[in-house]
Amino acid sequence: MKRSWIECYQIDMVDMMSTTVTISKLNEHVGETVTLAGWLYNSRIGSKVAFLIVRDGTGLCQGVVTKEEVEPEVFADAVHLTQESSVRVTGLVHADERAVGGYELHVTGLEPVHSAVEYPITLKAHGHDFLFKHRHLWLRSRRPTAIMKIRHTVIDAVRRFFNDNGFVLVDTPIFAPSAGEGAQTLFSVDYFGEPMYLAQTGQLYLESAAMAYGKVYCFGPTFRAEKSKTRRHLTEFWMVEPEIAYADLDDVMAVAEDFVYTIAQRVLAEHRADLEFLGQDVAVLERIRKPFYRLTYSQAVDILHGPQARELLEKDLAEKNARIEELKQSIPAKEQERDRPGVKKYRQEQLAAEVITEREELADLQEQVKNIPTHMELAAGFEWGKDLGGSDETIISRLHDRPVFVTHYPRGCKAFYMKQDPHDSRLVKNFDLLAPDGYGEIIGGSQREDDLDVLLERMAEEGLATEPYEWYLDLRRYGSVPHGGFGLGIERTVAWLCGLRHIRETIAYPRLMGKVYP
Ligand code: 4AD
Ligand code: MG
């Protein structure tokens, strides 16, 4: 039978090319000749052999090009490939425990796709400002790759948890006509001449969906005009919020506990190598067990006033000051060695990189040391009735090695929709879940006020006009039931699981006050 031209073409292509596989699947192709489609991450060129480290988004693989065994053009191409040039590499797959990723490619062919001009991010250290300015390229590096993959798994675990447990996804609007949380953090936009806001939460809409479908969740970007430049705040972040009808505070907390535990287990099961690469102590995640700790707000305030908090901060101060002294000696010593005549280039670069890292650490520590006395004062002088501040949360969460629920806050410092505690009308039936080891709040949640009169009273207390909320109040007029839910911030959760000091690394393009490029 005569073959069509397309069949002939396909057969020719198969003869010409080996199968293209991803680096993550090399284990299935040991002993076969395959092609990798990727970018040159790094190379080491000798006179007889060139080592090309290629990345393809799924991993890194070393290709070995031996001059004697390949066509002269192949070796010449290998020598001339620049960092981050795109390239197809064909070769025989060998298992090699010592190789990065565990496999090596004995290269037989190279097909340069695009030759990169001088790449700004070298394998040496760069300062954070420089890296964030080059975020569009920096995403290719190993550290952001590890973090983005963990973020991906966290989000997958989030969706699975709710989908597998009978929750219905209901997407809530991003254009919102009224505040869902505090009015101080609203971003306003011009909506055809009408004032409108970017959603701070999907919760109020989600409550209506819970009255329709029982168990629901929403997951999307949320916006807060946070004027604070802290390591925990973004102006745009992703929040997942479940809402459950016929549920009280304990029911909601049980879901939150199960949920966070499940996410942490998933990350631990799939990302040990990434966590270790990031320098995260895996034991931190292995310690996460149910039940989490439970404190009332009043107990948390007692801790802030007590000797434990003071001792913790005093110890911190001493340790940080000691490290500052160390750095103050080591930085100039390294600079001197770097500038000494006759120092080898690789050593110069290594020292320059260490100086950058140590300078950043020093600046960070000096900032922290400056703040510790304030944090001590804030804790010791904490007045019952105020919301816990970032430093207060840090203290509570540093004193615990598993997540800790803080419940029953004074109603004056929390949102209007929270259910009044029937045993003590000064309090609401809410919780914040603090991640351990100083990470602070990752979840805020509560049972909702389901009594129309109490809710109206509370809104009046807050000076909230009822008109924009009439639809929300309807939920208390037509079959009101006890219900509640919570919101988990994806970025804070990823920062905690990865052990990152700053939230900005947990999202591809962080939005902070004064930072929107690229
Ligand atoms: O505590 P929040 O403000 O709670 C709510 O928005 C409720 N409506 C949720 C609910 O009950 N359905 O925010 C929830 C979580 C916080 O615990 C934190 O993890 C994250 O959202 N979050 C932020 N993350 C990054 N940057 C910010 N500026 C954040 N503000 C809140
Ligand atoms: Mg909160």
PDB file of all heavy atoms in Angstrom, residues 132 135 144 147-148 150-152 155 231 234 237-238 490-498 500-510:
ATOM      1  N   PHE A 132      15.081  39.844  42.482  1.00  0.00           N
ATOM      2  CA  PHE A 132      13.659  40.135  42.263  1.00  0.00           C
ATOM      3  C   PHE A 132      13.438  41.016  41.034  1.00  0.00           C
ATOM      4  O   PHE A 132      12.417  40.923  40.379  1.00  0.00           O
ATOM      5  CB  PHE A 132      13.014  40.740  43.511  1.00  0.00           C
ATOM      6  CG  PHE A 132      12.534  39.664  44.442  1.00  0.00           C
ATOM      7  CD1 PHE A 132      13.208  39.376  45.602  1.00  0.00           C
ATOM      8  CD2 PHE A 132      11.424  38.895  44.104  1.00  0.00           C
ATOM      9  CE1 PHE A 132      12.777  38.349  46.441  1.00  0.00           C
ATOM     10  CE2 PHE A 132      10.983  37.865  44.924  1.00  0.00           C
ATOM     11  CZ  PHE A 132      11.664  37.597  46.105  1.00  0.00           C
ATOM     12  N   ARG A 135      13.167  38.584  38.303  1.00  0.00           N
ATOM     13  CA  ARG A 135      12.332  37.457  38.709  1.00  0.00           C
ATOM     14  C   ARG A 135      11.925  36.603  37.504  1.00  0.00           C
ATOM     15  O   ARG A 135      11.815  35.393  37.601  1.00  0.00           O
ATOM     16  CB  ARG A 135      11.089  37.997  39.423  1.00  0.00           C
ATOM     17  CG  ARG A 135      10.170  36.941  39.997  1.00  0.00           C
ATOM     18  CD  ARG A 135      10.820  36.122  41.084  1.00  0.00           C
ATOM     19  NE  ARG A 135       9.842  35.380  41.869  1.00  0.00           N
ATOM     20  CZ  ARG A 135      10.143  34.438  42.745  1.00  0.00           C
ATOM     21  NH1 ARG A 135      11.407  34.120  42.969  1.00  0.00           N
ATOM     22  NH2 ARG A 135       9.203  33.804  43.410  1.00  0.00           N
ATOM     23  N   PRO A 144      14.030  28.970  43.413  1.00  0.00           N
ATOM     24  CA  PRO A 144      12.640  29.250  43.044  1.00  0.00           C
ATOM     25  C   PRO A 144      11.925  28.018  42.481  1.00  0.00           C
ATOM     26  O   PRO A 144      10.731  27.834  42.725  1.00  0.00           O
ATOM     27  CB  PRO A 144      12.755  30.340  41.975  1.00  0.00           C
ATOM     28  CG  PRO A 144      14.075  30.949  42.190  1.00  0.00           C
ATOM     29  CD  PRO A 144      14.970  29.890  42.740  1.00  0.00           C
ATOM     30  N   ILE A 147      10.694  25.929  45.327  1.00  0.00           N
ATOM     31  CA  ILE A 147       9.570  26.573  46.031  1.00  0.00           C
ATOM     32  C   ILE A 147       8.290  26.520  45.193  1.00  0.00           C
ATOM     33  O   ILE A 147       7.213  26.189  45.693  1.00  0.00           O
ATOM     34  CB  ILE A 147       9.920  28.035  46.397  1.00  0.00           C
ATOM     35  CG1 ILE A 147      11.126  28.061  47.343  1.00  0.00           C
ATOM     36  CG2 ILE A 147       8.722  28.744  47.026  1.00  0.00           C
ATOM     37  CD1 ILE A 147      11.715  29.448  47.571  1.00  0.00           C
ATOM     38  N   MET A 148       8.411  26.808  43.903  1.00  0.00           N
ATOM     39  CA  MET A 148       7.212  26.803  43.037  1.00  0.00           C
ATOM     40  C   MET A 148       6.615  25.403  42.946  1.00  0.00           C
ATOM     41  O   MET A 148       5.399  25.242  42.869  1.00  0.00           O
ATOM     42  CB  MET A 148       7.556  27.307  41.635  1.00  0.00           C
ATOM     43  CG  MET A 148       7.772  28.796  41.548  1.00  0.00           C
ATOM     44  SD  MET A 148       6.358  29.733  42.149  1.00  0.00           S
ATOM     45  CE  MET A 148       7.157  30.687  43.390  1.00  0.00           C
ATOM     46  N   ILE A 150       6.753  23.103  45.302  1.00  0.00           N
ATOM     47  CA  ILE A 150       6.074  22.832  46.575  1.00  0.00           C
ATOM     48  C   ILE A 150       4.741  23.591  46.612  1.00  0.00           C
ATOM     49  O   ILE A 150       3.713  23.049  47.013  1.00  0.00           O
ATOM     50  CB  ILE A 150       6.987  23.186  47.773  1.00  0.00           C
ATOM     51  CG1 ILE A 150       8.168  22.204  47.813  1.00  0.00           C
ATOM     52  CG2 ILE A 150       6.205  23.159  49.086  1.00  0.00           C
ATOM     53  CD1 ILE A 150       9.228  22.499  48.837  1.00  0.00           C
ATOM     54  N   ARG A 151       4.753  24.828  46.131  1.00  0.00           N
ATOM     55  CA  ARG A 151       3.504  25.598  46.067  1.00  0.00           C
ATOM     56  C   ARG A 151       2.465  24.833  45.222  1.00  0.00           C
ATOM     57  O   ARG A 151       1.293  24.741  45.582  1.00  0.00           O
ATOM     58  CB  ARG A 151       3.773  26.979  45.461  1.00  0.00           C
ATOM     59  CG  ARG A 151       2.519  27.835  45.327  1.00  0.00           C
ATOM     60  CD  ARG A 151       2.775  29.129  44.561  1.00  0.00           C
ATOM     61  NE  ARG A 151       1.514  29.762  44.259  1.00  0.00           N
ATOM     62  CZ  ARG A 151       1.016  30.830  44.902  1.00  0.00           C
ATOM     63  NH1 ARG A 151       1.697  31.404  45.855  1.00  0.00           N
ATOM     64  NH2 ARG A 151      -0.161  31.312  44.582  1.00  0.00           N
ATOM     65  N   HIS A 152       2.912  24.301  44.098  1.00  0.00           N
ATOM     66  CA  HIS A 152       2.014  23.536  43.228  1.00  0.00           C
ATOM     67  C   HIS A 152       1.387  22.367  43.993  1.00  0.00           C
ATOM     68  O   HIS A 152       0.179  22.130  43.920  1.00  0.00           O
ATOM     69  CB  HIS A 152       2.798  23.030  42.012  1.00  0.00           C
ATOM     70  CG  HIS A 152       2.056  22.031  41.202  1.00  0.00           C
ATOM     71  ND1 HIS A 152       1.166  22.394  40.229  1.00  0.00           N
ATOM     72  CD2 HIS A 152       2.038  20.671  41.252  1.00  0.00           C
ATOM     73  CE1 HIS A 152       0.630  21.304  39.700  1.00  0.00           C
ATOM     74  NE2 HIS A 152       1.145  20.247  40.304  1.00  0.00           N
ATOM     75  N   ILE A 155      -1.212  23.500  46.566  1.00  0.00           N
ATOM     76  CA  ILE A 155      -2.491  23.863  45.941  1.00  0.00           C
ATOM     77  C   ILE A 155      -3.238  22.613  45.482  1.00  0.00           C
ATOM     78  O   ILE A 155      -4.453  22.498  45.652  1.00  0.00           O
ATOM     79  CB  ILE A 155      -2.262  24.880  44.801  1.00  0.00           C
ATOM     80  CG1 ILE A 155      -1.817  26.210  45.418  1.00  0.00           C
ATOM     81  CG2 ILE A 155      -3.523  25.059  43.955  1.00  0.00           C
ATOM     82  CD1 ILE A 155      -1.455  27.298  44.432  1.00  0.00           C
ATOM     83  N   ARG A 231       7.462  40.758  56.599  1.00  0.00           N
ATOM     84  CA  ARG A 231       7.784  39.566  55.818  1.00  0.00           C
ATOM     85  C   ARG A 231       6.595  38.632  55.682  1.00  0.00           C
ATOM     86  O   ARG A 231       6.688  37.557  55.130  1.00  0.00           O
ATOM     87  CB  ARG A 231       8.996  38.863  56.417  1.00  0.00           C
ATOM     88  CG  ARG A 231       8.799  38.410  57.823  1.00  0.00           C
ATOM     89  CD  ARG A 231      10.130  38.116  58.498  1.00  0.00           C
ATOM     90  NE  ARG A 231       9.957  37.910  59.911  1.00  0.00           N
ATOM     91  CZ  ARG A 231       9.731  36.720  60.446  1.00  0.00           C
ATOM     92  NH1 ARG A 231       9.645  35.648  59.698  1.00  0.00           N
ATOM     93  NH2 ARG A 231       9.592  36.604  61.749  1.00  0.00           N
ATOM     94  N   LEU A 234       1.535  40.393  51.791  1.00  0.00           N
ATOM     95  CA  LEU A 234       1.516  40.713  50.369  1.00  0.00           C
ATOM     96  C   LEU A 234       0.270  41.560  50.144  1.00  0.00           C
ATOM     97  O   LEU A 234      -0.668  41.511  50.944  1.00  0.00           O
ATOM     98  CB  LEU A 234       1.404  39.431  49.538  1.00  0.00           C
ATOM     99  CG  LEU A 234       2.583  38.456  49.602  1.00  0.00           C
ATOM    100  CD1 LEU A 234       2.185  37.125  48.991  1.00  0.00           C
ATOM    101  CD2 LEU A 234       3.785  39.032  48.884  1.00  0.00           C
ATOM    102  N   PHE A 237      -2.632  38.059  47.397  1.00  0.00           N
ATOM    103  CA  PHE A 237      -2.268  36.707  47.821  1.00  0.00           C
ATOM    104  C   PHE A 237      -3.419  35.762  47.507  1.00  0.00           C
ATOM    105  O   PHE A 237      -4.511  36.199  47.177  1.00  0.00           O
ATOM    106  CB  PHE A 237      -1.912  36.674  49.319  1.00  0.00           C
ATOM    107  CG  PHE A 237      -3.046  37.053  50.231  1.00  0.00           C
ATOM    108  CD1 PHE A 237      -3.842  36.075  50.822  1.00  0.00           C
ATOM    109  CD2 PHE A 237      -3.331  38.383  50.488  1.00  0.00           C
ATOM    110  CE1 PHE A 237      -4.906  36.425  51.654  1.00  0.00           C
ATOM    111  CE2 PHE A 237      -4.393  38.735  51.327  1.00  0.00           C
ATOM    112  CZ  PHE A 237      -5.173  37.758  51.909  1.00  0.00           C
ATOM    113  N   TRP A 238      -3.136  34.473  47.594  1.00  0.00           N
ATOM    114  CA  TRP A 238      -4.153  33.466  47.269  1.00  0.00           C
ATOM    115  C   TRP A 238      -4.699  32.872  48.548  1.00  0.00           C
ATOM    116  O   TRP A 238      -3.948  32.453  49.412  1.00  0.00           O
ATOM    117  CB  TRP A 238      -3.569  32.384  46.352  1.00  0.00           C
ATOM    118  CG  TRP A 238      -3.421  32.902  44.959  1.00  0.00           C
ATOM    119  CD1 TRP A 238      -2.559  33.873  44.543  1.00  0.00           C
ATOM    120  CD2 TRP A 238      -4.195  32.528  43.820  1.00  0.00           C
ATOM    121  NE1 TRP A 238      -2.745  34.127  43.201  1.00  0.00           N
ATOM    122  CE2 TRP A 238      -3.736  33.304  42.734  1.00  0.00           C
ATOM    123  CE3 TRP A 238      -5.225  31.606  43.602  1.00  0.00           C
ATOM    124  CZ2 TRP A 238      -4.279  33.182  41.447  1.00  0.00           C
ATOM    125  CZ3 TRP A 238      -5.763  31.478  42.323  1.00  0.00           C
ATOM    126  CH2 TRP A 238      -5.283  32.272  41.269  1.00  0.00           C
ATOM    127  N   ILE A 490      -2.289  30.820  51.142  1.00  0.00           N
ATOM    128  CA  ILE A 490      -1.371  29.873  50.496  1.00  0.00           C
ATOM    129  C   ILE A 490       0.089  30.287  50.717  1.00  0.00           C
ATOM    130  O   ILE A 490       0.940  29.457  51.053  1.00  0.00           O
ATOM    131  CB  ILE A 490      -1.659  29.801  48.979  1.00  0.00           C
ATOM    132  CG1 ILE A 490      -3.029  29.177  48.724  1.00  0.00           C
ATOM    133  CG2 ILE A 490      -0.558  29.024  48.235  1.00  0.00           C
ATOM    134  CD1 ILE A 490      -3.155  27.721  49.110  1.00  0.00           C
ATOM    135  N   GLU A 491       0.383  31.573  50.556  1.00  0.00           N
ATOM    136  CA  GLU A 491       1.788  32.008  50.614  1.00  0.00           C
ATOM    137  C   GLU A 491       2.371  31.836  52.010  1.00  0.00           C
ATOM    138  O   GLU A 491       3.503  31.407  52.158  1.00  0.00           O
ATOM    139  CB  GLU A 491       1.910  33.460  50.146  1.00  0.00           C
ATOM    140  CG  GLU A 491       1.665  33.627  48.650  1.00  0.00           C
ATOM    141  CD  GLU A 491       0.199  33.556  48.258  1.00  0.00           C
ATOM    142  OE1 GLU A 491      -0.666  33.624  49.160  1.00  0.00           O
ATOM    143  OE2 GLU A 491      -0.107  33.427  47.055  1.00  0.00           O
ATOM    144  N   ARG A 492       1.588  32.171  53.041  1.00  0.00           N
ATOM    145  CA  ARG A 492       2.120  31.983  54.398  1.00  0.00           C
ATOM    146  C   ARG A 492       2.340  30.510  54.694  1.00  0.00           C
ATOM    147  O   ARG A 492       3.286  30.131  55.378  1.00  0.00           O
ATOM    148  CB  ARG A 492       1.160  32.569  55.428  1.00  0.00           C
ATOM    149  CG  ARG A 492       1.204  34.075  55.417  1.00  0.00           C
ATOM    150  CD  ARG A 492       0.557  34.626  56.654  1.00  0.00           C
ATOM    151  NE  ARG A 492       0.331  36.051  56.504  1.00  0.00           N
ATOM    152  CZ  ARG A 492      -0.377  36.774  57.354  1.00  0.00           C
ATOM    153  NH1 ARG A 492      -0.922  36.207  58.403  1.00  0.00           N
ATOM    154  NH2 ARG A 492      -0.526  38.055  57.157  1.00  0.00           N
ATOM    155  N   THR A 493       1.450  29.678  54.158  1.00  0.00           N
ATOM    156  CA  THR A 493       1.577  28.245  54.389  1.00  0.00           C
ATOM    157  C   THR A 493       2.836  27.711  53.699  1.00  0.00           C
ATOM    158  O   THR A 493       3.599  26.937  54.278  1.00  0.00           O
ATOM    159  CB  THR A 493       0.314  27.524  53.857  1.00  0.00           C
ATOM    160  OG1 THR A 493      -0.812  28.127  54.477  1.00  0.00           O
ATOM    161  CG2 THR A 493       0.339  26.047  54.156  1.00  0.00           C
ATOM    162  N   VAL A 494       3.056  28.160  52.464  1.00  0.00           N
ATOM    163  CA  VAL A 494       4.242  27.694  51.727  1.00  0.00           C
ATOM    164  C   VAL A 494       5.520  28.205  52.417  1.00  0.00           C
ATOM    165  O   VAL A 494       6.499  27.455  52.553  1.00  0.00           O
ATOM    166  CB  VAL A 494       4.182  28.152  50.247  1.00  0.00           C
ATOM    167  CG1 VAL A 494       5.473  27.830  49.514  1.00  0.00           C
ATOM    168  CG2 VAL A 494       2.994  27.497  49.543  1.00  0.00           C
ATOM    169  N   ALA A 495       5.498  29.451  52.888  1.00  0.00           N
ATOM    170  CA  ALA A 495       6.678  29.999  53.571  1.00  0.00           C
ATOM    171  C   ALA A 495       7.016  29.149  54.796  1.00  0.00           C
ATOM    172  O   ALA A 495       8.174  28.806  55.038  1.00  0.00           O
ATOM    173  CB  ALA A 495       6.434  31.450  53.988  1.00  0.00           C
ATOM    174  N   TRP A 496       5.985  28.793  55.536  1.00  0.00           N
ATOM    175  CA  TRP A 496       6.194  27.980  56.741  1.00  0.00           C
ATOM    176  C   TRP A 496       6.723  26.580  56.363  1.00  0.00           C
ATOM    177  O   TRP A 496       7.741  26.130  56.904  1.00  0.00           O
ATOM    178  CB  TRP A 496       4.864  27.879  57.520  1.00  0.00           C
ATOM    179  CG  TRP A 496       4.793  26.739  58.466  1.00  0.00           C
ATOM    180  CD1 TRP A 496       5.712  26.438  59.445  1.00  0.00           C
ATOM    181  CD2 TRP A 496       3.779  25.724  58.534  1.00  0.00           C
ATOM    182  NE1 TRP A 496       5.317  25.302  60.105  1.00  0.00           N
ATOM    183  CE2 TRP A 496       4.142  24.851  59.578  1.00  0.00           C
ATOM    184  CE3 TRP A 496       2.598  25.489  57.836  1.00  0.00           C
ATOM    185  CZ2 TRP A 496       3.358  23.745  59.927  1.00  0.00           C
ATOM    186  CZ3 TRP A 496       1.824  24.399  58.181  1.00  0.00           C
ATOM    187  CH2 TRP A 496       2.202  23.538  59.211  1.00  0.00           C
ATOM    188  N   LEU A 497       6.063  25.916  55.427  1.00  0.00           N
ATOM    189  CA  LEU A 497       6.475  24.552  55.081  1.00  0.00           C
ATOM    190  C   LEU A 497       7.898  24.532  54.518  1.00  0.00           C
ATOM    191  O   LEU A 497       8.653  23.605  54.781  1.00  0.00           O
ATOM    192  CB  LEU A 497       5.487  23.930  54.079  1.00  0.00           C
ATOM    193  CG  LEU A 497       4.072  23.699  54.625  1.00  0.00           C
ATOM    194  CD1 LEU A 497       3.122  23.267  53.513  1.00  0.00           C
ATOM    195  CD2 LEU A 497       4.075  22.652  55.741  1.00  0.00           C
ATOM    196  N   CYS A 498       8.255  25.551  53.749  1.00  0.00           N
ATOM    197  CA  CYS A 498       9.598  25.597  53.146  1.00  0.00           C
ATOM    198  C   CYS A 498      10.637  26.195  54.090  1.00  0.00           C
ATOM    199  O   CYS A 498      11.824  26.195  53.774  1.00  0.00           O
ATOM    200  CB  CYS A 498       9.582  26.442  51.867  1.00  0.00           C
ATOM    201  SG  CYS A 498       8.624  25.731  50.536  1.00  0.00           S
ATOM    202  N   LEU A 500      10.945  29.463  54.834  1.00  0.00           N
ATOM    203  CA  LEU A 500      11.461  30.701  54.241  1.00  0.00           C
ATOM    204  C   LEU A 500      11.257  31.864  55.202  1.00  0.00           C
ATOM    205  O   LEU A 500      10.236  31.945  55.876  1.00  0.00           O
ATOM    206  CB  LEU A 500      10.721  31.010  52.931  1.00  0.00           C
ATOM    207  CG  LEU A 500      10.660  29.882  51.924  1.00  0.00           C
ATOM    208  CD1 LEU A 500       9.847  30.313  50.714  1.00  0.00           C
ATOM    209  CD2 LEU A 500      12.066  29.465  51.509  1.00  0.00           C
ATOM    210  N   ARG A 501      12.198  32.771  55.206  1.00  0.00           N
ATOM    211  CA  ARG A 501      12.075  33.912  56.108  1.00  0.00           C
ATOM    212  C   ARG A 501      11.063  34.934  55.606  1.00  0.00           C
ATOM    213  O   ARG A 501      10.425  35.620  56.377  1.00  0.00           O
ATOM    214  CB  ARG A 501      13.438  34.595  56.270  1.00  0.00           C
ATOM    215  CG  ARG A 501      13.762  34.815  57.724  1.00  0.00           C
ATOM    216  CD  ARG A 501      14.965  35.645  57.953  1.00  0.00           C
ATOM    217  NE  ARG A 501      14.623  36.999  58.348  1.00  0.00           N
ATOM    218  CZ  ARG A 501      13.944  37.353  59.425  1.00  0.00           C
ATOM    219  NH1 ARG A 501      13.488  36.437  60.250  1.00  0.00           N
ATOM    220  NH2 ARG A 501      13.705  38.614  59.700  1.00  0.00           N
ATOM    221  N   HIS A 502      10.939  35.045  54.297  1.00  0.00           N
ATOM    222  CA  HIS A 502      10.064  36.071  53.743  1.00  0.00           C
ATOM    223  C   HIS A 502       9.048  35.456  52.783  1.00  0.00           C
ATOM    224  O   HIS A 502       9.384  34.611  51.972  1.00  0.00           O
ATOM    225  CB  HIS A 502      10.919  37.118  53.012  1.00  0.00           C
ATOM    226  CG  HIS A 502      10.227  38.435  52.851  1.00  0.00           C
ATOM    227  ND1 HIS A 502       9.082  38.579  52.097  1.00  0.00           N
ATOM    228  CD2 HIS A 502      10.506  39.659  53.353  1.00  0.00           C
ATOM    229  CE1 HIS A 502       8.691  39.847  52.143  1.00  0.00           C
ATOM    230  NE2 HIS A 502       9.540  40.518  52.894  1.00  0.00           N
ATOM    231  N   ILE A 503       7.823  35.952  52.860  1.00  0.00           N
ATOM    232  CA  ILE A 503       6.716  35.429  52.062  1.00  0.00           C
ATOM    233  C   ILE A 503       6.918  35.702  50.561  1.00  0.00           C
ATOM    234  O   ILE A 503       6.369  35.002  49.712  1.00  0.00           O
ATOM    235  CB  ILE A 503       5.408  36.069  52.580  1.00  0.00           C
ATOM    236  CG1 ILE A 503       4.162  35.338  52.074  1.00  0.00           C
ATOM    237  CG2 ILE A 503       5.333  37.542  52.250  1.00  0.00           C
ATOM    238  CD1 ILE A 503       2.890  35.823  52.749  1.00  0.00           C
ATOM    239  N   ARG A 504       7.737  36.715  50.224  1.00  0.00           N
ATOM    240  CA  ARG A 504       7.827  37.151  48.819  1.00  0.00           C
ATOM    241  C   ARG A 504       8.319  36.067  47.861  1.00  0.00           C
ATOM    242  O   ARG A 504       8.079  36.137  46.673  1.00  0.00           O
ATOM    243  CB  ARG A 504       8.720  38.383  48.705  1.00  0.00           C
ATOM    244  CG  ARG A 504      10.163  38.092  49.062  1.00  0.00           C
ATOM    245  CD  ARG A 504      10.976  39.349  49.243  1.00  0.00           C
ATOM    246  NE  ARG A 504      12.195  38.974  49.965  1.00  0.00           N
ATOM    247  CZ  ARG A 504      13.078  39.807  50.445  1.00  0.00           C
ATOM    248  NH1 ARG A 504      12.911  41.102  50.309  1.00  0.00           N
ATOM    249  NH2 ARG A 504      14.143  39.374  51.088  1.00  0.00           N
ATOM    250  N   GLU A 505       9.038  35.070  48.408  1.00  0.00           N
ATOM    251  CA  GLU A 505       9.570  34.032  47.522  1.00  0.00           C
ATOM    252  C   GLU A 505       8.547  32.952  47.184  1.00  0.00           C
ATOM    253  O   GLU A 505       8.832  32.075  46.376  1.00  0.00           O
ATOM    254  CB  GLU A 505      10.769  33.356  48.187  1.00  0.00           C
ATOM    255  CG  GLU A 505      12.041  34.147  48.108  1.00  0.00           C
ATOM    256  CD  GLU A 505      13.213  33.311  48.591  1.00  0.00           C
ATOM    257  OE1 GLU A 505      13.776  32.560  47.779  1.00  0.00           O
ATOM    258  OE2 GLU A 505      13.539  33.391  49.776  1.00  0.00           O
ATOM    259  N   THR A 506       7.358  32.994  47.821  1.00  0.00           N
ATOM    260  CA  THR A 506       6.417  31.890  47.667  1.00  0.00           C
ATOM    261  C   THR A 506       5.467  32.058  46.490  1.00  0.00           C
ATOM    262  O   THR A 506       4.656  31.188  46.231  1.00  0.00           O
ATOM    263  CB  THR A 506       5.550  31.727  48.932  1.00  0.00           C
ATOM    264  OG1 THR A 506       4.799  32.943  49.102  1.00  0.00           O
ATOM    265  CG2 THR A 506       6.395  31.489  50.154  1.00  0.00           C
ATOM    266  N   ILE A 507       5.535  33.198  45.809  1.00  0.00           N
ATOM    267  CA  ILE A 507       4.644  33.451  44.676  1.00  0.00           C
ATOM    268  C   ILE A 507       5.522  33.941  43.530  1.00  0.00           C
ATOM    269  O   ILE A 507       6.523  34.628  43.760  1.00  0.00           O
ATOM    270  CB  ILE A 507       3.523  34.451  45.074  1.00  0.00           C
ATOM    271  CG1 ILE A 507       2.513  34.640  43.951  1.00  0.00           C
ATOM    272  CG2 ILE A 507       4.072  35.791  45.561  1.00  0.00           C
ATOM    273  CD1 ILE A 507       1.182  35.244  44.402  1.00  0.00           C
ATOM    274  N   ALA A 508       5.141  33.585  42.298  1.00  0.00           N
ATOM    275  CA  ALA A 508       6.030  33.878  41.167  1.00  0.00           C
ATOM    276  C   ALA A 508       6.303  35.380  41.069  1.00  0.00           C
ATOM    277  O   ALA A 508       7.451  35.800  40.925  1.00  0.00           O
ATOM    278  CB  ALA A 508       5.425  33.342  39.875  1.00  0.00           C
ATOM    279  N   TYR A 509       5.255  36.175  41.127  1.00  0.00           N
ATOM    280  CA  TYR A 509       5.424  37.631  41.005  1.00  0.00           C
ATOM    281  C   TYR A 509       4.818  38.329  42.211  1.00  0.00           C
ATOM    282  O   TYR A 509       3.642  38.704  42.183  1.00  0.00           O
ATOM    283  CB  TYR A 509       4.804  38.116  39.680  1.00  0.00           C
ATOM    284  CG  TYR A 509       5.620  37.638  38.511  1.00  0.00           C
ATOM    285  CD1 TYR A 509       5.267  36.496  37.811  1.00  0.00           C
ATOM    286  CD2 TYR A 509       6.792  38.294  38.154  1.00  0.00           C
ATOM    287  CE1 TYR A 509       6.064  36.013  36.768  1.00  0.00           C
ATOM    288  CE2 TYR A 509       7.587  37.834  37.120  1.00  0.00           C
ATOM    289  CZ  TYR A 509       7.216  36.705  36.442  1.00  0.00           C
ATOM    290  OH  TYR A 509       8.011  36.238  35.424  1.00  0.00           O
ATOM    291  N   PRO A 510       5.600  38.485  43.284  1.00  0.00           N
ATOM    292  CA  PRO A 510       5.040  39.055  44.510  1.00  0.00           C
ATOM    293  C   PRO A 510       4.626  40.503  44.333  1.00  0.00           C
ATOM    294  O   PRO A 510       5.296  41.265  43.634  1.00  0.00           O
ATOM    295  CB  PRO A 510       6.185  38.950  45.521  1.00  0.00           C
ATOM    296  CG  PRO A 510       7.425  38.846  44.710  1.00  0.00           C
ATOM    297  CD  PRO A 510       7.030  38.184  43.418  1.00  0.00           C
TER     298      PRO A 510
END
